[in-house]
Amino acid sequence: MTTLGSLNEFCWMDLKIRDQSGTAAFLSQALGWQFAVDEADWRRVTKVIIDGYPDRQRQRPR
């Protein structure tokens, strides 16, 4: 059985793919996700933005 975390809880996911641009295009069309390379990160990871997250999260008061 899969156990899910709490709503708005941090989630990390690695996708092992060969066609990064094709996968990004598919997921953008199918799920409305956006993708951006983090230029500040030395690894140049591609981050997924869903419903404005992480920008929306940073603006939320704690």
Side-chain angles (χ1 to χ4, degrees), residues 26-42:
F26 171 77
L27 292 173
S28 293
Q29 180 69 28
L31 302 176
W33 294 1
Q34 297 175 321
F35 298 83
V37 175
D38 187 350
E39 300 291 340
D41 189 322
W42 65 271

Side-chain angles (χ1 to χ4, degrees), residues 10-29:
F10 177 79
C11 174
W12 184 271
M13 176 176 52
D14 285 335
L15 295 176
K16 305 299 184 193
I17 56 174
R18 294 183 182 178
D19 181 6
Q20 185 173 359
S21 61
T23 301
F26 171 77
L27 292 173
S28 293
Q29 180 69 28

